[in-house]
Amino acid sequence: TEINIEDIIADEEMVVSVTRGGYIKRTPISSYRAQRRGGKGITAMTTTETDFVSNLFIASNHDTMLFFTRRGKAYALKVYEIPEAGRYSRGTAIVNLLRMEPGDSIASTVTTRGFDDGGSNVFFVTRRGYVKRTPLSAFANARRRGVVAISVGRDDELIGCCLVNGEQNVLLVTAKGQSIRFPVSNVRIMGRSARGVIGIRLRG
């Protein structure tokens, strides 16, 4: 009988930490303990003066993490493929795990159990106000080599993405305090190579 590697890996919850500087690690959730009011906290990661934790979330070992870069590429890793490290460790550089293009960096991450989640979509937002909605299933073939997730112009970049369904609203807020709210369903579903549509027009 052929054995799948997931069959011998415990499906336990992990705390996944990602830093702005591109370091990542997973730590067993058992390494953290609940504290009462007035607790002093514990060290979760050692960082440099110029780096900080940008994403911290709980995921199962068998979940899939999608990494979306500023240049619009998507990469995928199983959570158990992320090197495990202790609370005091800085982690591993993401460039050692993914075959990213030189000069590119991670803009956002999404975690999913599978790619047929009943119509879930990935919602993208770029720095120049473009938005796009693409089915999560379109990234089922994303691997360490990466696939195109969104087309971005030379003067633009991806700044964030998240999982949505057709019943939610989106709130976009600009650096100068302008905002707009609209239903996700107002943005039609597009393929991976599409640029998207204007979600908000920026002044200046």
Side-chain angles (χ1 to χ4, degrees):
T1 303
E2 186 174 339
I3 299 178
N4 190 324
I5 189 172
E6 290 189 10
D7 296 335
I8 59 177
I9 295 177
D11 190 15
E12 60 179 320
E13 289 187 327
M14 294 283 175
V15 177
V16 180
S17 308
V18 183
T19 74
R20 181 72 173 179
Y23 285 83
I24 189 172
K25 71 173 182 177
R26 65 182 172 99
T27 306
I29 197 171
S30 57
S31 299
Y32 302 87
R33 56 183 174 82
Q35 297 190 19
R36 296 184 178 181
R37 182 178 177 182
K40 296 183 179 180
I42 57 177
T43 300
M45 174 181 279
T46 301
T47 59
T48 63
E49 294 182 359
T50 58
D51 198 8
F52 57 90
V53 176
S54 59
N55 285 288
L56 189 145
F57 47 89
I58 297 174
S60 168
N61 266 335
H62 291 188
D63 289 346
T64 298
M65 280 193 65
L66 290 172
F67 300 85
F68 297 93
T69 71
R70 301 188 184 282
R71 298 308 307 160
K73 296 290 288 293
Y75 302 82
L77 280 178
K78 286 287 190 179
V79 171
Y80 64 75
E81 294 179 314
I82 300 170
E84 183 176 336
R87 290 191 293 106
Y88 295 96
S89 172
R90 186 181 183 185
T92 302
I94 296 179
V95 294
N96 293 333
L97 304 176
L98 308 175
R99 299 183 182 181
M100 295 172 53
E101 299 175 358
D104 204 358
S105 60
I106 301 298
S108 189
T109 58
V110 167
T111 305
T112 180
R113 189 67 173 188
F115 290 92
D116 51 354
D117 292 354
S120 294
N121 301 309
V122 182
F123 191 86
F124 299 87
V125 183
T126 74
R127 186 171 297 279
R128 295 187 63 83
Y130 281 82
V131 297
K132 190 182 80 161
R133 185 162 61 113
T134 301
L136 176 63
S137 58
F139 302 98
N141 294 325
R143 295 293 183 268
R144 296 188 183 211
R145 291 180 177 272
V147 296
V148 174
I150 181 175
S151 295
V152 293
R154 293 184 178 180
D155 59 344
D156 200 3
E157 65 178 1
L158 180 66
I159 60 172
C161 58
C162 62
L163 286 180
V164 298
N165 56 48
E167 301 177 354
Q168 294 171 309
N169 287 338
V170 172
L171 179 66
L172 302 179
V173 184
T174 72
K176 293 187 177 181
Q178 299 297 308
S179 65
I180 186 174
R181 182 171 68 93
F182 55 86
V184 168
S185 57
N186 283 4
V187 180
R188 64 182 178 87
I189 293 179
M190 308 176 194
R192 291 191 291 104
S193 60
R195 181 181 185 181
V197 296
I198 295 176
I200 187 171
R201 295 187 184 275
L202 303 179
R203 296 180 178 179

